[in-house]
Amino acid sequence: MNKPSIVVLGAGYGGIMTTIKLQKIIGDNEADITLVNKHDYHYQTTWLHENAAGTLHHDRTRIPIKDVVDFNRVNFVQDTVESIDPDNKKVVLEDGELTYDYLVIGLGFESATFGIEGLKEHAFSINNINSARLIRDHIEYNFAQYNNEEGDRQDLVTIVVGGAGFTGIEFVGEVVNRVPELCQEYDVDPSKVRVINVEAGPTALAGFDEELVEYAMNRLEEKGVEFRLGTMLKKCTEDGIIVEKDDEQEEIKTKNIVWAAGVRGNSIVEESGFEVSRGRVPVRDDLRTPDYDDVFVAGDCAVLFNKETDKPYPPTAQIAMQMADTIGHNLKQLINGGEEFESFTPDIKGTVASLGHTDAIGVVFDDKKLYGRSASIMKKVIDNRYLVKLGGVGLLLKKGKLDMYR
Amino acid sequence: MNKPSIVVLGAGYGGIMTTIKLQKIIGDNEADITLVNKHDYHYQTTWLHENAAGTLHHDRTRIPIKDVVDFNRVNFVQDTVESIDPDNKKVVLEDGELTYDYLVIGLGFESATFGIEGLKEHAFSINNINSARLIRDHIEYNFAQYNNEEGDRQDLVTIVVGGAGFTGIEFVGEVVNRVPELCQEYDVDPSKVRVINVEAGPTALAGFDEELVEYAMNRLEEKGVEFRLGTMLKKCTEDGIIVEKDDEQEEIKTKNIVWAAGVRGNSIVEESGFEVSRGRVPVRDDLRTPDYDDVFVAGDCAVLFNKETDKPYPPTAQIAMQMADTIGHNLKQLINGGEEFESFTPDIKGTVASLGHTDAIGVVFDDKKLYGRSASIMKKVIDNRYLVKLGGVGLLLKKGKLDMYR
């Protein structure tokens, strides 16, 4: 008797939570479970901006997969997915191939560059552990160069962040807290350093409560962040960026460009022939792709519309984790020939944006606004809750943000 | 009544020890003492290779000048010397001018590039705090890039050191100890990393006891250092270096080139019209320049010949400090119209080369050879003795290498 095989691609929030759900609810004799991931670790995408700023070490952000997945129950393949062939139920990896009966795609996001000239070559993105660590080291290296160069090379200690969405705001919040440390480590006069946020839209954190956004911008400006709202990033060069506002162009000289203005679904999904919108598959209510009954999509590769507002739900960790629950349930139905499919409905418990250290803003329980320390504590509570869900109390103690006052 | 003015240029070993000697033996009413230095700190040049490798933080290596010089007795000017006009008894600084009655030149060394093509553009040198810190960050940045680049970019994690003299050997000893930490921090497979030492001469540590040199090379080779002796560095490029041995050329791809193969006296001395040999002034026995009775030279800007061997003494911290004693004594004679001038005779108590952490080699008391831990402890004892001499027990406790087993 052949057991059906379930293959999960990617160990991000969606993929790893699906795997953990499956290893709980699917019996050993019901199906084989395989998890494929590029690295042998899972990481918390929502903490990467701290790694990139250098305020949190990346080892705090990543979790060895073997610590949370039971390798007796789940076959782990460390490899890179190259393409998916859903008609032949096959996945092509860098070093091999896998066939499946049921597939879960959780391949995450990549940066959307919107065709901006020079962005790919000269800007960094906060995409994963490797790229976040590189940003930290890139900024440090430029600070180290400052005192080795002739003249006042302020471009070396100017940090430009493209985008005032969630990631952009959270990153400037961290980086502006890091600046005094960088100045001390590299003997740089703090008055030489600039942190500039460039946002095309008329406001930071579009869609967030206006009062909270004002609080956030005031706090960040007090710390030295310069906001350029309604300003388009036109071009990145070796020497800096060209921005445009009201038809006037300006050059800002910088060697540190971090692009945090847009994400799309992993391009492997589109290249494999799935129907997508901005790289994301418009999944059915049960989280399967429109065309394949045996393929689920979790996390940032899926797009779902809020029927009340007719807007897509944002690609958040919270939603990715909730999707894992639904996918687990529906997969068990499929395997056992059951028909009690669950429809996915996000349950958005709250949204909190960190402003660095002990500062944050947030909305919880639909309409309760949080500022400052209480929002910051709420953020840590959410992060810790995830760790417990992922790996129990042991993982919480290892990786949790347990000091609420830092 | 006008007091004579003594100006000391540079707060390296020679300059700062001269200043400290002067503030002890010259009365407040005998002379004005001025110390000019680019930074507000002194640093231990002999520890810079550790800062460059990233095994010791540069703040351990530097000492605020105000902690060891009495600013009530000594006028400290933080400025950069641009030129000296000994005929008009004037020093031109970046931000002003100084006149003197007596001058002490302690402006230290700079790298000699021997006209090697591309060296100035593509190689780093361990010259001061800024350049040492930059080397640390440059290597880290390249390690951080490794996992962000397509293909196996081993050039990013290949470290080439030019020169197997004291600094070259001490630096490879540190850096090869640092490699495992770098591999862990940046997720790099240690088998990808190369540390290569290129030396034109037939042996490492020329002039050192042969048995000790063999020990040193064996220990470093065991740790993974590749030695290329009798090999000329012909050229540095964006991509690496070209070396030549027995008329055959080879390219070694690397993004990390550290040049530690030669130093010369600060070029300001030569450009100011002093008689020099390789940038160093062949001083008289009383450490004055051949042509000026009111100008002394201390440390690496001076050259002295050993009359027994007819070879120049090496430019070491040990000799620079001993010079300060003689200069202090002779300056006091000059000021008071005395004639008991001291002739300088180096008293070489020993030479110890670190091989990283707890390993070293050395010769002390003329002919006693030391290996391994005992040499390493001896090295730390020498370093600590210097700190006591410079700033007393307080400084020893702050900056000393007090754990003999690390």
Side-chain angles (χ1 to χ4, degrees), chain A residues 355-366:
Chain A
L355 304 174
H357 289 312
T358 55
D359 204 359
I361 50 170
V363 179
V364 289
F365 312 124
D366 276 345

Side-chain angles (χ1 to χ4, degrees), chain A residues 161-165 196-206 217 226-234 242-250:
Chain A
V161 179
I196 303 168
N197 184 283
V198 177
E199 166 61 45
T203 174
L205 295 168
M217 285 186 62
E226 305 170 37
F227 282 99
R228 303 287 190 101
L229 301 180
T231 303
M232 294 282 293
L233 178 59
K234 301 298 284 184
I242 312 284
V243 294
E244 188 177 293
K245 184 176 185 171
D246 304 333
D247 290 331
E248 295 221 357
Q249 292 206 346
E250 185 197 350

Side-chain angles (χ1 to χ4, degrees), chain A residues 237-299:
Chain A
T237 69
E238 179 80 17
D239 301 320
I241 59 168
I242 312 284
V243 294
E244 188 177 293
K245 184 176 185 171
D246 304 333
D247 290 331
E248 295 221 357
Q249 292 206 346
E250 185 197 350
E251 181 181 13
I252 300 173
K253 290 202 184 291
T254 175
K255 289 285 184 191
N256 309 287
I257 313 171
V258 176
W259 180 241
V263 294
R264 43 158 292 152
N266 193 317
S267 52
I268 289 169
V269 177
E270 182 169 6
E271 288 159 11
S272 297
F274 291 99
E275 185 189 329
V276 292
S277 149
R278 246 178 109 179
R280 303 179 206 276
V281 180
V283 286
R284 293 184 244 173
D285 283 351
D286 59 14
L287 299 179
R288 287 186 287 183
T289 70
D291 301 324
Y292 297 94
D293 286 344
D294 44 18
V295 182
F296 292 84
V297 188

Side-chain angles (χ1 to χ4, degrees), chain A residues 62 137-138 141 186-187, chain B residues 62 137-138 141 185-187:
Chain A
R62 60 179 164 184
D137 276 45
H138 181 80
Y141 187 47
Y186 296 102
D187 300 317
Chain B
R62 60 179 165 183
D137 276 46
H138 181 82
Y141 186 47
E185 176 67 13
Y186 297 101
D187 301 316

